[in-house]
């Protein structure tokens, strides 16, 4: 951060990364890219859907516990898809469940993200030859982040969520809106 | 009562319809003809000295020539377990339901119907229990062939191992 403070007139002139600050003791002006200002709160208030089809869900609960503590990243669970930003598919998805997962995804409001957690959600995992298990959740909904493991440790889930934050921060707001439109046209 | 005592006891009721005791490892059992199932289980459940009041499980086995049903009974009073088996033909796997004698049988029979396609006559509610209602076929049969999609969802995934 470059800083220049003139004590006589109290002029502040600072900039860091995408932020530019200028002013004096009567007030200041903050200059930045609109995408940066929109993405910063979006990335730091990722609300995830309280939903998990199988045993990876236990690690998901654990990730909300004291050791990894998702709350400090502004991530809290929501029990309705309407209020959720990210869906963490933690576990084995059967064909019977697949249709419900798709419905939940469609009920979430844009912009929405999906994390596929664990081998089962990634590719069917150890149920690869099963007659009733979906071979990867990306066959029904678009996935942003894949987390390998059976189950992934809470640290791995946290890493995935931080990657998602990075992805969100790098997004262009205009593109998100057009993607939203494209998805609505698809339906 | 152990399995051989139970066997001599029920042999008096159904002399023709019951095989000898077959011992295979720790598990001893005998076969019975499917048509006597109701009477046999009534005797096993209610006769003083046997009193097998608890049905632990019903298992269905596909051994390619025929289907086999395995019934496991437990007596709370005498603390012992017996296994009974019966054989059904592959073409026509029909047997009477025992859900009026043992309430636990209801779900076990639904499961055997769902996964193996065994029809239980006089069952109060013979629907699929685990697979979706519109699923075609019975997946644990040896000759089951998986469809290539379910409601438009593909049932296989492209293998990427060995591509790089
Ligand atoms: S990946 Fe492992 S832990 Fe996760 S749902 Fe599948 S079997 Fe369970």
């Amino acid at each position: 951060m470059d800083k220049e403070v003139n004590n006589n007139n109290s002029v502040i002139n600072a900039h860091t990364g995408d932020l530019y600050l200028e002013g004096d003791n009567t007030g200041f002006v903050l200059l930045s890219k609109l995408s940066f200002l929109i993405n910063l709160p979006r990335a730091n208030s990722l609300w995830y859907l309280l939903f998990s089809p199988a045993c990876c869900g236990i690690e998901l609960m654990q990730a909300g516990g004291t050791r990894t503590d998702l709350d400090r990243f502004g991530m809290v669970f929501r029990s309705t898809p309407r209020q959720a930003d990210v869906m963490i598919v933690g576990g084995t998805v059967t064909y019977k469940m697949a249709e419900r997962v798709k419905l939940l995804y469609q009920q979430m409001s844009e912009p929405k993200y999906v994390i596929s957690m664990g081998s089962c959600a990634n590719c069917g995992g150890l149920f690869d030859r099963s007659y009733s298990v979906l071979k990867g959740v990306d066959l029904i909904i678009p996935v942003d982040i894949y987390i390998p493991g059976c189950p992934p440790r809470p640290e791995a889930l946290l890493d995935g969520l931080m990657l998602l934050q990075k992805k969100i921060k790098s997004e262009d707001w205009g593109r998100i809106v057009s993607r939203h439109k494209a998805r609505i046209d698809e339906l | 009562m152990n399995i051989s005592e139970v066997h001599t006891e029920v042999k008096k009721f159904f002399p023709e319809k019951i095989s000898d005791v077959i011992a295979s490892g720790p598990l001893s059992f005998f076969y019975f003809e499917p048509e006597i199932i109701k009477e046999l289980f009534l005797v096993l459940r209610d006769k003083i000295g046997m009193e097998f009041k608890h049905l632990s499980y019903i298992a269905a086995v596909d051994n390619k020539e025929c289907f086999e049903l395995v019934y496991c009974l437990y007596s709370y009073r005498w603390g012992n377990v017996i296994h009974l088996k019966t054989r059904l033909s592959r073409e026509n796997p029909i047997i009477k339901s025992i859900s009026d004698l043992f309430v636990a049988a209801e779900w076990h029979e639904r499961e055997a119907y769902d996964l193996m396609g065994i029809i239980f006559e006089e069952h109060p509610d013979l629907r699929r229990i685990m697979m979706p209602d519109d699923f075609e076929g019975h997946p644990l049969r040896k000759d089951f062939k998986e469809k290539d999609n379910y409601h438009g969802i593909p049932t296989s995934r492209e293998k990427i191992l060995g591509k790089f």
Side-chain angles (χ1 to χ4, degrees):
Chain A
M1 181 179 281
D2 304 333
K3 215 165 169 190
E4 188 188 292
V5 181
N6 186 330
N7 280 333
N8 302 335
N9 304 326
S10 301
V11 173
I12 304 171
N13 187 343
H15 69 90
T16 164
D18 288 325
L19 274 179
Y20 185 81
L21 194 72
E22 194 177 312
D24 57 17
N25 51 8
T26 56
F28 62 88
V29 187
L30 188 67
L31 282 177
S32 177
K33 284 195 281 186
L34 189 59
S35 293
F36 177 81
L37 286 180
I38 291 175
N39 288 341
L40 197 65
R42 278 199 322 123
N44 289 301
S45 63
L46 272 181
W47 292 356
Y48 59 93
L49 183 60
L50 180 58
F51 149 82
S52 203
C55 23
C56 276
I58 306 293
E59 295 299 301
L60 173 59
M61 295 167 212
Q62 181 58 35
T66 42
R67 192 180 262 241
T68 41
D69 192 12
L70 294 185
D71 287 25
R72 69 201 155 113
F73 295 93
M75 296 169 192
V76 289
F77 61 80
R78 299 271 91 194
S79 353
T80 158
R82 305 275 184 209
Q83 299 172 354
D85 304 304
V86 51
M87 177 190 225
I88 303 176
V89 186
T92 324
V93 184
T94 57
Y95 294 130
K96 210 172 177 177
M97 192 66 189
E99 299 183 320
R100 284 130 180 107
V101 171
K102 203 168 170 181
L103 187 69
L104 283 173
Y105 177 75
Q106 286 167 348
Q107 284 176 340
M108 283 165 62
S109 52
E110 289 274 355
K112 52 193 171 184
Y113 302 91
V114 176
I115 291 183
S116 158
M117 178 187 182
S119 314
C120 287
N122 291 346
C123 64
L126 68 155
F127 305 107
D128 187 33
R129 296 286 156 109
S130 171
Y131 49 82
S132 62
V133 174
L134 183 68
K135 315 295 180 308
V137 74
D138 51 0
L139 294 174
I140 49 168
I141 52 179
V143 174
D144 293 285
I145 307 274
Y146 295 86
I147 306 172
C150 179
R153 289 185 55 87
E155 291 90 323
L157 176 61
L158 193 59
D159 189 36
L161 283 162
M162 282 159 71
L163 270 177
L164 184 61
Q165 285 187 324
K166 227 184 227 172
K167 176 176 174 163
I168 290 174
K169 280 183 191 157
S170 70
E171 270 174 343
D172 182 355
W173 179 250
R175 285 226 190 96
I176 299 169
V177 175
S178 57
R179 191 179 70 188
H180 181 190
K181 279 206 187 110
R183 276 191 197 160
I184 287 178
D185 293 344
E186 247 173 52
L187 289 178
Chain B
M1 254 190 201
N2 65 21
I3 182 85
S4 45
E5 288 165 336
V6 170
H7 183 256
T8 38
E9 199 69 26
V10 292
K11 192 96 181 163
K12 291 179 200 155
F13 289 89
F14 316 100
E16 299 293 308
K17 310 276 187 185
I18 282 176
S19 80
D20 293 333
V21 175
I22 299 164
S24 64
L27 194 70
S28 311
F29 57 90
F30 58 83
Y31 285 104
F32 61 91
E33 297 288 325
E35 63 265 20
I36 61 160
I37 181 168
K38 278 253 164 103
E39 297 80 0
L40 175 66
F41 276 73
L42 193 62
V43 169
L44 289 169
R45 191 187 69 166
D46 287 346
K47 186 160 189 322
I48 305 296
M50 293 199 255
E51 288 153 274
F52 292 98
K53 301 278 186 202
H54 176 71
L55 176 77
S56 295
Y57 61 83
I58 300 174
V61 184
D62 182 359
N63 58 17
K64 287 190 178 158
E65 291 92 50
C66 61
F67 292 123
E68 239 171 43
L69 285 179
V70 187
Y71 291 83
C72 175
L73 294 175
Y74 178 75
S75 166
Y76 289 120
R77 177 124 188 227
W78 306 106
N80 48 24
V81 185
I82 58 164
H83 292 85
L84 311 173
K85 291 191 182 181
T86 188
R87 288 193 176 115
L88 304 174
S89 74
R90 270 198 87 96
E91 295 70 44
N92 204 16
I94 296 182
I95 190 167
K96 284 242 159 49
S97 164
I98 53 163
S99 53
D100 49 350
L101 300 176
F102 299 90
V103 182
E106 202 179 312
W107 278 24
H108 291 296
E109 288 176 350
R110 277 179 68 185
E111 187 180 350
Y113 164 71
D114 186 358
L115 302 179
M116 205 64 106
I118 290 160
I119 314 282
F120 292 89
E121 279 179 330
E122 298 165 24
H123 189 283
D125 182 24
L126 197 62
R127 283 180 295 133
R128 287 186 180 274
I129 190 166
M130 288 183 289
M131 304 305 291
D133 286 337
D134 58 356
F135 193 82
E136 284 169 39
H138 302 284
L140 289 194
R141 285 191 179 190
K142 293 268 196 257
D143 55 5
F144 174 74
K145 289 268 180 315
E146 198 178 22
K147 302 253 169 354
D148 58 0
N149 73 78
Y150 173 76
H151 289 188
I153 303 169
T155 57
S156 60
R157 187 184 181 85
E158 194 193 355
K159 294 274 174 283
I160 54 165
L161 279 183
K163 271 198 172 177
F164 303 106

